[in-house]
Each structure stands twice: as structure tokens, then as C-alpha cells.
Amino acid sequence: MKMRNLASIRDNLLLCLSRRSFSCLSVCMHVHVFYYLGELNDSLSYALGAGPLFDVSEDSDYVHTLLSKAIDEYVSLRSKAAESSNEAAMVDPRLEAIVERMLDKCIMDGKYQQAMGIAIECRRLDKLEEAITRSDNVHGTLAYSINVSHSFVYRREYRQEVLRLLVKVYEKLPSPDYLSICQCLMFLDEPGGVANILERLLRSENKEDALLAFQIAFDLVENEHQAFLLNVRDRLSALKSLPSESVQPGYSDPATAQNENSAAPEDVQMTDESSAVTKSVHEADPKEVMYAERLTKIKGILSGETSIQLTLQFLFSYNKSDLLILKTIKQSVEMRNSVCHSATIYANAIMHAGTTVDTFLRDNLDWLSRATNWAKFSATAGLGVIHRGHLQQGRSLMAPYLPQGGAGGGGSPYSEGGALYALGLIHANHGEGIKQFLRDSLRGTNVEVIQHGACLGLGLAALGTADEEIYDDIKTVLYTDSAVAGEAAGISMGLLMVGTASEKASEMLAYAHETQHEKIIRGLALGIALTVYGREEEADTLIEQMTRDQDPILRYGGMYALALAYRGTANNKAIRQLLHFAVSDVSDDVRRTAVLALGFVLYSEPEQVCAALPHLCWCGMIDIYFSFYPMFF
């Protein structure tokens, strides 16, 4: 009976509306009926028709519900317009007016965080800027906006637009927060902007500004790959006010120095300019002398040398590893058990990672020599883990195991390949001084095990640099179609191009379809996944190609591509895709990797992993049920 009365009321109201026998005021009064009937779309439609008579400041469930509906509708329309690259898509101006009135009310009432949240969600950067600039605590609201953009803006392209706006607002402040600006520029991948700020701070007469520049440099080293760091460093290399002859002797091009000293037993020094610069500018303007000294220090930081030395000193000084544990393990396992032998070697490498303490290995050389083939490769590579970051002495430490003259010598190829891999581990992400030696070693041998180690080492040393010449060297090894060397070449290509979303990925995918070696396909699949690291929706096309491929190894790579492209974003679309593959793919490897990939995507919100696991369990049980159902019926 009640439902019949409500239907009658709705029909009568619609009849009145069709005859237009009402005023704007009567619309506002009668539109409540649609709200109580649950017809929110109709209620919103007539609320829009009421124009300014719809009071957004009214504190009632009715107004709050319609405002929420209006904002959701506006967000949906703006998002669709952005995704279709049609910014001029039609949005009802009355709907836009209500949202703007709501934003203006929030700003007028001092609810700046609420206004910023709505503005970001609605893609109204003009209102976001207004809310920030009119707030009482501009620095606080800017920090809040940065946090919101990283936590709740899931599309990378739009997040970059927000960050560019925040940089612009920061720069307009009387006292800009350069640390926050550089953090934004890091996410935007704009080394030129960072270099300009660093130079401005270094030239300042205020000592605090110089210290801030050094802190920014340390943050860059902590969070960025070497291509970005070298780009920033190179943009600082020219002193504007000093004569060119005053600077050039102190800063030699790393590539030139590398070629001149390629035969030297020690690694090339990445920065060695303090004395030269000091001598060349001792009679120059005091301001330029000060800038030159600061420039020398910041280049040392950007090269990674300063932070690496501090880390090595810390790890060595506070090394608390217990060698008795390793000794007990060694005595407890059978000498002929190669698995336990290798596991003990790995345990030693992990326990002493970065400490440069290789006492256990030196005291047990006879025991260590029992390793054969790939176990010997891993044992030698373990030295690279122990001496991680020992840039100056890395090559001399590995000299007894390295190929003689850059090619295979009289030693075991497994030791030589492991030594080249160890060099890459020692110089990972800081490989300016060792890249040329690794390239020479790669080109100077046809032994696939040595090529394997050289490719892995070169990929780590040139991490993220996208160096075309190195890529061609590795590609040459890949095209030999050797399973052992080709697998490492595929991974190395990914390390070289990590995070670049390079078109080389298509070339790698094409070769994966051509080769018959599963090892090469697996290496290429992982390499392709590395190229889209952090690229989010930009990687969707490549991910779609890989996940729809008939080859389960490439689908396995597609899972890793999803994991790396959306790492730490908790993106709902990526999570849905991974859950789907985790329960539906016919390959065990693909399903297992899809579940692992959930950890990559959700590492910033670990509580969501627990929420996702029950879905996997239920879907798995249903899958098993329907698999066995035909057996019983």
C-alpha cells in the first residue's frame, strides 16, 4: 500500500512537471520527493534546474547526499574527458556551477584540505591553486597536496600535472621550500630544474643554503638512478663566472678518463678535482672560490662516492655477524652436498653484504674450491655482494678471478664469469668507472658463461642509463642465440633500460617470439618487465600484449610487468587483473607470479593484502570444485 502511494505521488509530480505548472521554488520543494524515493538522478536533475535556490550551505542529509551525487557525477565526467583526451567534452554548466559553489564555500569556511581533496578529484587545478594560496599555512597545505597526489591520484599523467602546479606555487613563495620542490622535480624526472636550484643554493652566501643543497644531493643519491644523477651533475659542471681554464683541469670527462686508464689495475676515480680546482681559483673572486669548493663537494655526493664511503664505514664498524654460526654450518653439512655448500656461501655473502669482510672465505679456501660449475660462479659473485660499493678497490680485489686481458684466460670460465658479475654488483648504479672494462670483457670472449657474467655485470653497472652503445653490445650477444648467454642478455637489456618505457621493449618481445630457447624467452620476459618500471598506465599496451600471449613464459613476464609498472600504487585496475590471472590462468608459474605481484603493487598498503587473500582462497576453491565436478556427475 505504501509503495502504491509513493508511486502515485511520483506520477502526479511528473504530470505537474510535464505541464510546467510550477515555479522554481516549487521545484525545490517537490524535488525532495525524488530524494525520498531514492531517485537520486532525477532529484539531482531538478536540483540543477533550481539554480541558486539550491542552497549548498544547508546542513541536511538531503543537501549532503545531492552534493555527494553531484561531485561524483562531475568527477566521472571529468575523468572520462581526460582519459579520452577530449578536455572539451560537454559538462552540464549547472553541475559545474554547483561544484564550484561547494569549493568556494569550503575555501570561505577555512576547510582548505577538504577543498583541495575535492579539487584534485575533480581535476580542477585552478581551484586547487586558489585553496593553497588562500590558506593560512601555505607550506602545510602544499605538503598535504603532495601527500594526496601520491596516495590517491592513480593516473601518472595527472599526478605529474598536479606536481607541476605545486612546483609553480612553491616558486612563488617568498621563501620557497627547495627540498620539497626538488622532491617534486625528482618525480617529474626534470634534472634541469634540480640543477638550477642546486646552483642557486651553492652560489648563495648563506651557509645554510649550501647545507640544504648538500642534503638535496644526498636525497637524490638515495632515491634516483645514476642516469638522473649524472644528468644533474653534468649540468653543474660549468662555472658561469670563472674562466674556462680555471675549471676544466679539475673536472675531466669520465669517459675520457676511463679510456686513458682502462689498463690500470685500479678503478677510475669518479671525482678527483679538489686540488686542481683549488689551485686554479686561488686568485679568483672569493665568491667563485667558495662556489668552486662547494661544487666539488656536491659532485662527490652526486657521484655516490661520499654516501657509499659513509655506508661502507658504518657497515664495517657495526658489523656484528657471528662467524661461529658459519663455521658450525660448514661442519654440519656433508662435504659432498653441493646444495648445502652453495647455501653456506650465500649465507656468508648476505651476512657480510657491504661490510668488505671476507674473512670466512679467506680462511676456508680449500673448502671453497670444492664448488664446481655454477656453484663456483655464484661463490665468486658472492664477493661482489660482500664488497658492494667498494668502488676504488673493487677491480683489484677481483683481479685474481677476472679474465686476463678482458678475454677468457686459463682459469675456470665460471670463476671468470662470476667475477665480472661481482664487478657489476660492486658498482651497481655507480658504474662510470667500470663500464668500459666490462664492455671489453664482453666483446673479447665467445665463452657463453663469461658472456653471461659480463652481461649481468654490465646491466647493473649501467643501470637505467639507456646507453645505446652498451645496448648494441648486449644485443649482439643475444642474437648469437646461446641459451646461457641469451638469458643474461635479456635481463641485462631490462636493467639498462629500467623505467624508460623504451621502444626497445617491442624489439625484445619480437625476438622472444622468434627464439626457441626457453631460457632466452624467460630472460627477455623479465627484461621487458623492467623497462616499464614505475610507468603505470603508460605500460598498459605492452602489458596487454604480454598477458594475452599464448606463451606462458611471456604471460609470466606480463605479471612482473604489472607488478613493476604499478609498484606501490595499490591501483585497483592492476589488482583486479592480478586476481583474475591468479585464479584463471592455466599455467602454475603464471598464477604463482600473479600472487607474488600483488605484494609489489600493495607494498605501500600491506593491510590490503590480507583483504585480497580470502578472494584468492574462495576463487581457488571454486576453481577446484568445478575441475572435479565432472568426475562425480
Side-chain angles (χ1 to χ4, degrees):
M1 183 67 178
K2 183 178 180 181
M3 292 301 298
R4 214 166 24 238
N5 289 338
L6 289 174
S8 177
I9 292 172
R10 180 174 60 184
D11 293 340
N12 290 334
L13 180 59
L14 290 172
L15 179 62
C16 292
L17 292 175
S18 64
R19 294 176 179 174
R20 301 182 181 273
S21 56
F22 55 91
S23 64
C24 287
L25 183 59
S26 66
V27 172
C28 289
M29 295 174 61
H30 286 86
V31 78
H32 284 72
V33 177
F34 286 108
Y35 165 70
Y36 289 114
L37 287 172
E39 301 287 350
L40 295 183
N41 288 328
D42 290 334
S43 183
L44 176 61
S45 176
Y46 290 106
L48 295 178
L53 294 177
F54 178 70
D55 187 5
V56 297
S57 62
E58 181 182 328
D59 188 14
S60 66
D61 290 342
Y62 159 70
V63 171
H64 292 166
T65 303
L66 283 191
L67 282 175
S68 177
K69 178 67 177 176
I71 291 172
D72 288 344
E73 186 70 18
Y74 186 70
V75 167
S76 176
L77 291 172
R78 294 279 295 181
S79 298
K80 289 178 181 177
E83 290 174 7
S84 62
S85 300
N86 183 15
E87 295 292 344
M90 288 300 295
V91 176
D92 192 331
R94 299 174 301 171
L95 178 63
E96 192 164 42
I98 282 186
V99 174
E100 288 184 355
R101 283 161 53 197
M102 181 61 188
L103 287 168
D104 291 338
K105 179 181 178 298
C106 290
I107 295 172
M108 291 294 294
D109 294 345
K111 299 177 180 178
Y112 300 110
Q113 291 189 355
Q114 184 177 350
M116 289 186 292
I118 296 173
I120 289 175
E121 194 173 11
C122 294
R123 295 176 179 264
R124 289 298 301 269
L125 298 184
D126 55 333
K127 290 295 181 181
L128 174 62
E129 184 176 3
E130 181 182 349
I132 293 172
T133 54
R134 292 181 59 178
S135 67
D136 300 327
N137 181 6
V138 177
H139 286 282
T141 52
L142 280 166
Y144 175 78
S145 298
I146 292 175
N147 182 52
V148 169
S149 66
H150 288 306
S151 303
F152 301 105
V153 179
Y154 293 121
R155 290 190 65 83
R156 182 170 180 268
E157 184 179 351
Y158 178 50
R159 190 187 310 124
Q160 290 181 336
E161 291 180 23
V162 175
L163 291 175
R164 287 192 184 94
L165 172 70
L166 298 181
V167 169
K168 185 176 73 172
V169 176
Y170 266 122
E171 290 175 342
K172 291 180 180 178
L173 297 179
S175 55
D177 184 350
Y178 289 116
L179 185 59
S180 297
I181 293 175
C182 287
Q183 287 177 348
C184 292
L185 292 173
M186 284 162 55
F187 287 112
L188 292 171
D189 194 24
E190 295 184 5
V194 175
N196 290 336
I197 289 174
L198 291 178
E199 183 167 346
R200 193 182 313 162
L201 292 172
L202 292 175
R203 288 187 178 278
S204 171
E205 297 182 5
N206 188 346
K207 185 179 179 181
E208 295 296 324
D209 288 341
L211 294 176
L212 178 59
F214 297 149
Q215 181 59 53
I216 292 171
F218 276 116
D219 288 346
L220 287 172
V221 172
E222 185 71 21
N223 296 289
E224 278 293 346
H225 52 77
Q226 64 178 323
F228 188 93
L229 298 175
L230 294 176
N231 205 332
V232 173
R233 190 191 71 180
D234 292 344
R235 290 169 187 265
L236 290 171
S237 62
L239 294 175
K240 293 182 178 178
S241 302
L242 284 176
S244 58
E245 62 271 12
S246 299
V247 182
Q248 293 304 322
Y251 179 70
S252 58
D253 182 74
T256 305
Q258 180 178 315
N259 292 332
E260 291 174 355
N261 299 287
S262 59
E266 303 297 330
D267 295 346
V268 178
Q269 297 287 335
M270 295 182 70
T271 55
D272 186 18
E273 50 187 278
S274 302
S275 58
V277 170
T278 304
K279 291 177 182 178
S280 61
V281 299
H282 70 281
E283 295 180 352
D285 183 2
K287 292 183 179 179
E288 295 304 326
V289 173
M290 177 187 67
Y291 174 68
E293 292 174 351
R294 292 175 176 178
L295 184 64
T296 300
K297 292 179 181 178
I298 204 166
K299 283 184 177 179
I301 296 171
L302 290 172
S303 70
E305 192 172 286
T306 304
S307 57
I308 286 172
Q309 289 299 326
L310 293 172
T311 303
L312 284 174
Q313 291 173 13
F314 175 84
L315 291 175
F316 179 79
S317 301
Y318 292 91
N319 175 34
K320 304 297 182 183
S321 59
D322 189 350
L323 291 176
L324 183 60
I325 295 175
L326 289 172
K327 183 178 179 181
T328 305
I329 294 173
K330 181 178 78 72
Q331 293 173 348
S332 301
V333 300
E334 294 183 15
M335 295 175 60
R336 292 175 295 177
N337 192 327
S338 61
V339 175
C340 292
H341 186 278
S342 298
T344 308
I345 293 171
Y346 299 153
N348 172 63
I350 294 170
M351 286 173 65
H352 297 97
T355 63
T356 70
V357 177
D358 55 4
T359 308
F360 177 77
L361 298 179
R362 295 183 184 279
D363 292 345
N364 297 277
L365 291 175
D366 290 340
W367 174 83
L368 187 64
S369 65
R370 295 192 182 98
T372 58
N373 299 336
W374 288 107
K376 182 174 289 187
F377 180 98
S378 300
T380 312
L383 288 170
V385 178
I386 294 172
H387 293 281
R388 164 80 173 90
H390 205 168
L391 305 183
Q392 276 70 40
Q393 301 297 324
R395 186 170 165 187
S396 60
L397 287 167
M398 299 307 302
Y401 310 98
L402 289 170
Q404 299 303 313
S412 166
Y414 292 96
S415 291
E416 294 176 356
L420 293 172
Y421 183 25
L423 279 180
L425 290 167
I426 291 171
H427 293 81
N429 204 31
H430 300 93
E432 282 294 289
I434 203 65
K435 286 191 299 186
Q436 189 59 45
F437 174 78
L438 290 171
R439 288 182 65 189
D440 292 340
S441 299
L442 180 62
R443 289 181 297 201
T445 183
N446 292 320
V447 182
E448 60 180 10
V449 177
I450 298 178
Q451 288 178 332
H452 184 96
C455 283
L456 292 176
L458 194 52
L460 289 168
L463 187 70
T465 58
D467 189 304
E468 290 288 339
E469 293 182 357
I470 295 177
Y471 178 83
D472 290 337
D473 289 341
I474 298 172
K475 185 170 69 172
T476 301
V477 174
L478 177 69
Y479 284 175
T480 61
D481 210 37
S482 163
V484 173
E487 181 182 21
I491 296 172
S492 181
M493 285 177 171
L495 292 170
L496 184 67
M497 299 289 176
V498 65
T500 61
S502 171
E503 294 181 359
K504 305 290 186 185
S506 300
E507 185 178 328
M508 296 163 67
L509 186 60
Y511 189 76
H513 286 123
E514 293 176 9
T515 185
Q516 300 299 313
H517 294 290
E518 285 192 3
K519 282 190 173 184
I520 295 179
I521 298 172
R522 192 174 298 275
L524 286 168
L526 291 174
I528 293 168
L530 286 167
T531 64
V532 295
Y533 174 80
R535 307 302 290 202
E536 300 180 33
E537 66 275 0
E538 194 177 339
D540 284 349
T541 302
L542 183 61
I543 291 171
E544 184 75 10
Q545 284 180 272
M546 297 182 74
T547 55
R548 289 183 177 275
D549 202 282
Q550 293 182 351
D551 191 333
I553 299 178
L554 287 177
R555 295 202 303 275
Y556 153 93
M559 298 304 103
Y560 277 118
L562 260 171
L564 296 176
Y566 289 96
R567 84 286 178 273
T569 61
N571 184 279
N572 289 330
K573 178 184 174 183
I575 294 170
R576 282 197 302 270
Q577 284 184 277
L578 291 171
L579 288 172
H580 169 72
F581 284 106
V583 298
S584 65
D585 200 277
V586 296
S587 168
D588 291 342
D589 279 349
V590 176
R591 292 201 300 272
R592 179 169 54 251
T593 309
V595 177
L596 289 173
L598 283 171
F600 283 86
V601 176
L602 292 172
Y603 74 73
S604 61
E605 298 184 23
E607 65 279 358
Q608 286 197 29
V609 178
C610 299
L613 288 178
H615 295 290
L616 287 174
C617 295
W618 277 109
C619 291
M621 291 171 64
I622 293 171
D623 189 36
I624 293 171
Y625 173 79
F626 282 108
S627 297
F628 286 97
Y629 184 84
M631 296 173 60
F632 300 103
F633 300 97

